[in-house]
């Protein structure tokens, strides 16, 4: 079984977090510098200068072609960055198949749906769990389990959590042969049946 992987799948969640952190820190730094400049920390004259610096306006007036070219290139760069960010945000979620090889070059491919179905059935066997949904997301090298559990009324949450952590996730990790298997767990509680009064 072959698995196609598009170019957008190569963007990892770690890279996205790094971009968000960098943009946030850059915004904080620019805001802090502007606040300190306006407060007069770098000199009263700098804080009172107009936002449109006369020296910069004179330079732009003397070099209109270069200024227009730079503005157009900056606009195109921002446009391409925004379109790329939209495509990355809207890309389909990647469900990696797991490939195992041995010394004889034999390959065994376990599909993401098969892993998810096995984990779902194992999670539904936990006392107090009425239904479960599971998915394998991430990359082949760093798979992640995403679990959604619906708990019955009166379920013992610490027991369910212990069984999930030490049982379901640990068995999945050992079966897949990975040293670390992160799991994102979402818990839901079934609504109590409404008693009808006749």
């Amino acid at each position: 079984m072959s698995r196609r992987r598009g170019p957008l799948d190569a963007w990892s969640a770690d890279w996205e977090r790094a971009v968000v952190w960098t943009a946030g820190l850059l915004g904080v730094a620019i805001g802090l510098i502007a606040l300190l400049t306006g407060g007069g920390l770098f000199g009263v004259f700098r804080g009172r200068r107009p936002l449109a610096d006369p020296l910069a306006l004179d330079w732009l007036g003397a070099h209109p072609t270069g200024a227009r070219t730079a503005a157009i290139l900056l606009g195109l760069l921002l446009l391409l960055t925004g379109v790329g960010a939209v495509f990355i945000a809207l890309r389909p979620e990647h469900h990696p198949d797991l490939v195992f090889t041995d010394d004889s070059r034999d390959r065994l491919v376990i599909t993401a749906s098969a892993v998810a179905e096995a984990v779902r059935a194992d999670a539904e066997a936990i006392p107090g769990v009425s239904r479960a949904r599971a998915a394998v997301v991430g990359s082949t090298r760093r798979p992640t389990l995403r679990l959604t559990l619906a708990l019955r009324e009166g379920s013992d949450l610490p027991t369910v959590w212990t069984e999930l952590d030490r049982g379901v996730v640990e068995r999945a990790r050992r079966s897949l042969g990975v040293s670390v298997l992160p799991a994102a767990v979402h818990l839901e509680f079934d609504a109590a049946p409404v008693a009808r009064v006749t």
Side-chain angles (χ1 to χ4, degrees):
M1 172 185 280
S2 62
R3 176 172 53 84
R4 294 183 179 178
R5 190 172 179 184
L8 290 179
D9 292 332
W11 298 84
S12 66
D14 293 336
W15 188 89
E16 292 174 5
R17 288 191 199 100
V19 169
V20 171
W21 270 98
T22 302
L25 292 176
L26 184 61
V28 169
I30 291 174
L32 186 61
I33 291 172
L35 182 65
L36 295 176
T37 303
L41 182 66
F42 302 115
V44 179
F45 176 71
R46 289 183 184 273
R48 293 180 179 176
R49 288 173 70 178
L51 185 61
D53 192 342
L55 295 177
L57 292 178
D58 291 342
W59 186 89
L60 291 176
H63 305 85
T65 305
R68 289 193 192 99
T69 303
I72 291 173
L73 291 177
L74 180 61
L76 289 176
L77 178 62
L78 292 175
L79 176 64
L80 291 176
T81 303
V83 171
V86 169
F87 276 115
I88 290 173
L90 297 179
R91 74 188 186 277
E93 191 173 51
H94 184 55
H95 299 278
D97 297 334
L98 302 177
V99 181
F100 299 92
T101 58
D102 57 15
D103 295 337
S104 61
R105 307 260 179 178
D106 291 334
R107 290 176 41 135
L108 173 64
V109 178
I110 302 176
T111 62
S113 58
V115 175
E117 181 61 24
V119 172
R120 182 200 62 78
D122 198 11
E124 286 184 346
I126 298 175
V129 176
S130 61
R131 62 187 181 280
R133 291 193 309 271
V136 179
V137 296
S139 63
T140 304
R141 293 183 179 180
R142 298 179 63 183
T144 301
L145 281 178
R146 181 179 295 156
L147 296 167
T148 302
L149 304 180
L151 305 181
R152 298 186 186 93
E153 185 183 7
S155 299
D156 184 20
L157 185 56
T159 302
V160 172
W161 187 260
T162 301
E163 288 290 331
L164 182 66
D165 183 32
R166 299 180 183 176
V168 175
V169 176
E170 181 63 22
R171 282 191 291 271
R173 186 190 66 77
R174 285 199 312 257
S175 300
L176 298 176
V178 293
S179 58
V180 177
L181 183 62
V185 181
H186 179 76
L187 297 177
E188 299 174 351
F189 294 90
D190 286 341
V194 179
R196 295 186 177 181
V197 179
T198 57

